[in-house]
Amino acid sequence: MTKIKIFISSVQSEFAKERMELHDYLLSDALLGKFFEPFLFELLPATDFSASHVYLREVEQSSIYLGILGKSYGFEDNDGVSPTEREFDHATLHHKTRFVFLTHHTEEERHKKENNFIKKVQSALVRKQFCSTEELKLAVYSSLVNYLIEKEIIRTAPFDAST
C-alpha cells in the first residue's frame, strides 16, 4: 500500500521544533506510521529549483495539507504573501484535504496579516486550536484517524457486520 503524503506547512522559524516533533511522531506512531508519509521542506537536499517551485510541487503531490498557524506571518514574497498562505491556497486550488491547527494566541498577539490569513482559513474550514506540542499531536492524530475512517481505509464497524 502506498502511504498517504502529508505536507506540513507553517512558518518554519516559529514552529521548527513542533514541525520536527510532529514529523517524527507521524512516522513512529504504530497506526499513523503505517498509512502516512509526512513531508517537511527543511529535510530536502539542495536542489536547482526555486523554493516556491519545490513547495508548490510538493503540495500538489500530497493528499493532505496540514497547516500550523501561530503569531508570525513569516517571510513575504514580492506580492506580500507568505509561503504558508501560498501553500494553503495551492492546496485549496488542487482540492487537497486541509487540516489547520492554530495556536492559542489572541488576535492582538498575532501579526495583522496572520489574522487575515486565519480569517480566510476559518471561512473555508473548521480549524482546531492547541496550546502545546502534545495537544497538537493529539489533534493531528484525531484528524488523521477520522480521515482514514471517512476514506474507509480503516473501518469501525464490528468485524462480523462488515462484508
Side-chain angles (χ1 to χ4, degrees), residues 1 3 42 46-47 62 66 79 93 128 136 143 153 156:
M1 177 181 137
K3 289 189 177 185
E42 57 264 39
T47 181
S62 297
L66 192 154
D79 297 324
L93 177 70
K128 179 75 175 162
L136 174 62
S143 294
I153 296 168
T156 58

Side-chain angles (χ1 to χ4, degrees), residues 126-145:
V126 174
R127 55 34 173 201
K128 179 75 175 162
Q129 227 171 0
F130 70 95
C131 293
S132 68
T133 305
E134 288 308 309
E135 278 188 21
L136 174 62
K137 288 180 194 175
L138 288 171
V140 168
Y141 184 90
S142 178
S143 294
L144 293 178
V145 168

Side-chain angles (χ1 to χ4, degrees), residues 25 36 44 77 80-81 83 93 104 107 117-118 121 125 127 130-131 143-144 163:
Y25 170 69
F36 297 104
L44 284 180
D77 63 17
V81 179
L93 177 70
H104 65 283
E107 193 169 317
F117 179 30
I118 290 168
V121 167
L125 51 89
R127 55 34 173 201
F130 70 95
C131 293
S143 294
L144 293 178
T163 53

Side-chain angles (χ1 to χ4, degrees), residues 5-8 37-41 44 51-65 87 90 96:
K5 190 171 183 180
I6 301 173
F7 185 93
I8 302 174
E37 176 188 345
F39 170 82
L40 286 179
F41 183 81
L44 284 180
S52 62
H53 171 81
V54 172
Y55 67 69
L56 294 178
R57 183 189 69 213
E58 292 295 334
V59 168
E60 289 175 26
Q61 293 175 355
S62 297
S63 297
I64 298 172
Y65 166 92
E87 293 159 358
H90 207 63
K96 303 299 178 178

Side-chain angles (χ1 to χ4, degrees), residues 16 42 122 151:
E42 57 264 39
Q122 290 177 158
K151 299 290 184 186

